[in-house]
Amino acid sequence: MNKTTADRPHDAPGFTPTRSLRFAAQATGAYRRIFASSLAAQILSRPSPVRYSGFDMTLDVKSVRFECDDVLSVTLTPREDITLPSWIPGAHLDVFLPSGRQRQYSLCGDPDDLTSYRIAVRRIDEGGGGSREIHESLKPGMVVDVRGPRNAFPFVAAPSYLFVAGGIGITPLLPMVQRCHRRGIPWRLDYLGRTRTAMPFLHEIEEYSSGRVTIRPDDESGPLDVETLVSAAKPGAAVYTCGPAPLMNMVRAAAFAGNPTGSVHSERFSPLPVIDGNQFTVHLARTGLTVDVGESESTLAAIRRALPGVAYSCQQGFCGTCRVRVLSGSVDHRDTLLTESERADSMLTCRSRSTGGSLVVDL
């Protein structure tokens, strides 16, 4: 389409800039040459503190307290008098424990308070040892290395919200509830658990209006009717659920069926199970090691037996932390992040695996 002179007035015939405009142009050019390209710009024009991934920090353990029978909350503060990176509800931290274990925990404090971060950890004795290490050895005054905040469970804009939490699944939802409450956005929360003594942060939840919060311990409420629970969501509402996988599956199914104009969001605390897996080998080119990948384990899990310090985070195929370059072999891509062009020479080891035969990766 041809542009008229009205679209670009300074290019119109007969235009003569005034003395003040010429001076402004000269000053702008001088600014670019002298300041914008200098080292001073890097000091005086600092980037936004909001970080979405890859921000490494060493934080002090300020406090450790029991929130219920087997859940500890840990408050972390910066080692210097600085403002912590901003985060939005749903974010988590990668925590590197003194043993070398890496674990991910939802931020469950106040997103408007950037003087500290709070996480919560349920003790799982039959797990991989991370929760036991925190419960048994993490004390006030110690330091921990963290990365983040990251957000794989973003808090989307919606006209109203329904939150369904199961046990420790309350942690990523707490900041969402708080934000809705402060901003006057319609919301309601159904909080489920085995017993009240197994439900963390009850004292905080009960501070909100009883008309918006329903506490449902199994030993008091009886069988759960998920369809009736989800039917309380208003048309167009965003339904957020976190907790045991069976609960989230039921909530998702009921929400999709009963509220087609809304959206459903869930977060798992454990890796997705491997479905239709095959056994294969992965050769780590840089280290010269070869590892066997079982049919029911992830490529990442197998690699971590040989390289415990390899980077990872979500373990569900959407954050990209475990991405590696593939030097040879055919990949069965099961992630939700990489583009087709990126899949030509890369894979996310937490989800993807070989289609058959060996893989060679740049590790």
Side-chain angles (χ1 to χ4, degrees):
M1 182 178 67
N2 293 328
K3 291 187 178 182
T4 67
T5 55
D7 292 323
R8 299 175 62 195
H10 287 192
D11 291 338
F15 173 77
T16 302
T18 65
R19 181 179 179 183
S20 60
L21 284 177
R22 290 197 300 271
F23 177 78
Q26 293 169 357
T28 301
Y31 172 86
R32 287 197 301 266
R33 291 191 302 272
I34 298 173
F35 178 78
S37 60
S38 72
L39 293 176
Q42 301 176 25
I43 299 173
L44 298 179
S45 182
R46 294 186 181 276
S48 167
V50 177
R51 304 285 182 126
Y52 294 98
S53 64
F55 191 76
D56 296 316
M57 296 174 286
T58 299
L59 301 179
D60 288 321
V61 178
K62 180 181 180 181
S63 66
V64 178
R65 58 171 285 179
F66 275 99
E67 300 295 343
C68 67
D69 286 347
D70 57 356
V71 175
L72 281 178
S73 68
V74 181
T75 300
L76 304 170
T77 57
R79 308 207 70 195
E80 300 175 357
D81 186 19
I82 62 172
T83 298
L84 291 168
S86 300
W87 57 283
I88 62 173
H92 70 272
L93 289 179
D94 294 343
V95 179
F96 300 88
L97 299 174
S99 66
R101 295 183 178 96
Q102 177 183 347
R103 296 293 186 268
Q104 295 73 43
Y105 299 108
S106 297
L107 286 166
C108 58
D110 182 353
D112 294 329
D113 177 10
L114 300 181
T115 64
S116 66
Y117 289 149
R118 185 178 69 172
I119 59 174
V121 183
R122 182 182 292 282
R123 180 171 180 139
I124 304 175
D125 286 327
E126 66 275 15
S131 66
R132 293 198 308 273
E133 181 177 355
I134 288 178
H135 275 248
E136 294 173 2
S137 64
L138 209 62
K139 307 295 181 185
M142 296 177 64
V143 298
V144 293
D145 294 324
V146 304
R147 178 177 297 141
R150 302 173 183 268
N151 202 319
F153 191 38
F155 188 43
V156 302
S160 63
Y161 297 85
L162 172 65
F163 303 107
V164 182
I168 193 65
I170 190 63
T171 53
L173 303 185
L174 265 178
M176 299 183 185
V177 167
Q178 185 180 68
R179 180 145 292 182
C180 287
H181 186 73
R182 287 179 176 175
R183 297 185 177 182
I185 303 171
W187 63 276
R188 62 169 288 111
L189 166 69
D190 285 277
Y191 185 15
L192 293 67
R194 299 188 307 275
T195 64
R196 287 182 180 268
T197 59
M199 299 170 71
F201 301 111
L202 268 183
H203 61 288
E204 294 186 21
I205 293 297
E206 290 172 340
E207 292 178 0
Y208 295 105
S209 168
S210 59
R212 292 185 176 183
V213 177
T214 303
I215 308 298
R216 299 176 183 270
D218 293 343
D219 59 348
E220 298 177 19
S221 302
L224 177 65
D225 183 351
V226 173
E227 291 185 2
T228 300
L229 182 154
V230 174
S231 68
K234 298 180 180 179
V239 177
Y240 276 82
T241 180
C242 188
L247 169 65
M248 293 192 294
N249 292 339
M250 289 189 291
V251 170
R252 290 179 66 87
F256 280 129
N259 189 15
T261 62
S263 60
V264 187
H265 311 266
S266 60
E267 182 178 48
R268 297 174 59 96
F269 286 136
S270 58
L272 293 167
V274 176
I275 305 297
D276 298 328
N278 58 307
Q279 189 169 353
F280 62 98
T281 61
V282 178
H283 180 68
L284 313 180
R286 275 186 278 153
T287 54
L289 301 173
T290 298
V291 296
D292 295 321
V293 183
E295 61 183 19
S296 62
E297 72 175 337
S298 69
T299 309
L300 172 65
I303 290 174
R304 290 187 64 232
R305 289 200 301 271
L307 297 178
V310 69
Y312 70 95
S313 183
C314 75
Q315 301 186 76
Q316 296 172 50
F318 49 68
C319 79
T321 306
C322 66
R323 178 176 175 174
V324 298
R325 192 158 64 97
V326 179
L327 304 179
S328 70
S330 177
V331 179
D332 175 12
H333 291 283
R334 302 185 177 191
D335 66 276
T336 59
L337 177 73
L338 299 181
T339 64
E340 286 304 314
S341 61
E342 291 172 331
R343 289 179 173 184
D345 63 357
S346 297
M347 68 180 288
L348 301 191
T349 60
C350 69
R351 294 290 297 142
S352 300
R353 52 201 302 111
S354 169
T355 59
S358 298
L359 295 177
V360 180
V361 299
D362 186 22
L363 283 174

